[in-house]
Amino acid sequence: DTAVSQTPKYLVTQMGNDKSIKCEQNLGHDTMYWYKQDSKKFLKIMFSYNNKELIINETVPNRFSPKSPDKAHLNLHINSLELGDSAVYFCASSQGSGSLFFGEGSRLTVL
Amino acid sequence: GEDVEQSLFLSVREGDSSVINCTYTDSSSTYLYWYKQEPGAGLQLLTYIFSNMDMKQDQRLTVLLNKKDKHLSLRIADTQTGDSAIYFCAERIIGAGNNRKLIWGLGTSLAVNP
């Protein structure tokens, strides 16, 4: 059983399109995150949700909108995709401020 | 400030020990972590150390923490080709508003040569 699963694993799309990445965790954790990893492998937090409430919202364009329908899910919707959005997006979860468990990543390529 | 620094690359020979270093600036750290990322995969928690400890050993891994110098290291004994990966150091701090946040290093890419 995969602990943190994200779909899709790969996403190739045109500039200007809108796309979503879904994340689910079956660990019973109360906190979920979205991270962006660029081509140099640098990891940056984008959002953090605790019990479905947004607690961290780093400097991310408002084209990115996270949605947490319940504690086990945190989806990421991106509007008007730009070339610079190409990256690997990682979902993660934790119990409070404990250790993070990461998904396998979703590689987004914007053409 | 909140900053975690690591050297970006390390190359070792198979069978040697690897030492990956990390320095941090925030003194409010509670836990410090090492994560491993293999090519094309997500990050996996390797080990962590509580900030009031100075050493933790787990099989081939030894974590050393020098709180005075704000220096953390990960030693991998008998390094194998399967250890080739990016290793991220992360510090859990207490930020503004009593918010616990994780500050990440940029990752050290370890190459193990046969």
Side-chain angles (χ1 to χ4, degrees):
Chain A
D1 271 352
T2 308
V4 181
S5 57
Q6 320 178 204
T7 52
K9 196 172 164 80
Y10 299 97
L11 189 51
V12 180
T13 189
Q14 301 282 337
M15 262 174 52
N17 283 350
D18 304 338
K19 289 292 175 190
S20 291
I21 309 172
K22 296 186 176 184
C23 179
E24 176 182 4
Q25 54 96 2
N26 63 7
L27 297 166
H29 287 165
D30 60 4
T31 307
M32 295 185 73
Y33 310 80
W34 277 110
Y35 278 85
K36 179 180 179 181
Q37 186 175 46
D38 64 21
S39 57
K40 292 182 180 167
K41 306 296 184 187
F42 301 154
L43 200 61
K44 288 181 71 169
I45 184 147
M46 300 173 71
F47 302 102
S48 169
Y49 269 72
N50 177 264
N51 284 313
K52 301 188 339 178
E53 274 190 42
L54 181 66
I55 54 170
I56 292 177
N57 182 358
E58 292 293 313
T59 317
V60 174
N62 58 15
R63 297 181 295 103
F64 290 80
S65 50
K67 284 195 173 45
S68 182
D70 55 57
K71 279 191 340 180
H73 295 84
L74 181 63
N75 304 324
L76 183 65
H77 188 76
I78 316 169
N79 287 329
S80 305
L81 278 155
E82 300 178 357
L83 293 177
D85 298 332
S86 295
V88 182
Y89 292 86
F90 286 101
C91 177
S93 73
S94 68
Q95 182 57 32
S97 55
S99 306
L100 267 63
F101 289 77
F102 282 82
E104 291 289 300
S106 297
R107 181 175 293 277
L108 171 66
T109 304
V110 182
L111 304 174
Chain B
E2 302 163 356
D3 200 17
V4 173
E5 291 190 359
Q6 312 176 228
S7 51
L8 293 183
F9 300 100
L10 177 65
S11 180
V12 300
R13 279 192 316 184
E14 193 174 11
D16 287 352
S17 290
S18 310
V19 179
I20 303 172
N21 293 301
C22 172
T23 56
Y24 58 95
T25 55
D26 200 294
S27 52
S28 73
S29 57
T30 54
Y31 287 90
L32 293 117
Y33 302 86
W34 285 105
Y35 280 82
K36 176 184 181 183
Q37 185 181 25
E38 294 180 4
L43 280 75
Q44 293 175 287
L45 178 66
L46 258 189
T47 186
Y48 64 92
I49 188 167
F50 188 45
S51 58
N52 70 354
M53 296 169 64
D54 48 26
M55 181 175 124
K56 182 177 179 182
Q57 187 140 12
D58 183 2
Q59 298 182 339
R60 291 190 298 123
L61 305 178
T62 305
V63 178
L64 294 178
L65 175 60
N66 182 328
K67 202 166 179 183
K68 176 175 162 287
D69 294 341
K70 297 192 179 75
H71 181 265
L72 180 75
S73 68
L74 173 70
R75 180 176 179 269
I76 306 172
D78 187 25
T79 314
Q80 302 297 307
T81 53
D83 295 323
S84 293
I86 301 175
Y87 291 81
F88 289 91
C89 171
E91 180 194 13
R92 174 78 70 187
I93 67 164
I94 302 171
N98 213 29
N99 228 349
R100 280 160 171 74
K101 52 197 267 193
L102 211 50
I103 310 297
W104 292 86
L106 298 182
T108 299
S109 184
L110 174 66
V112 182
N113 306 307

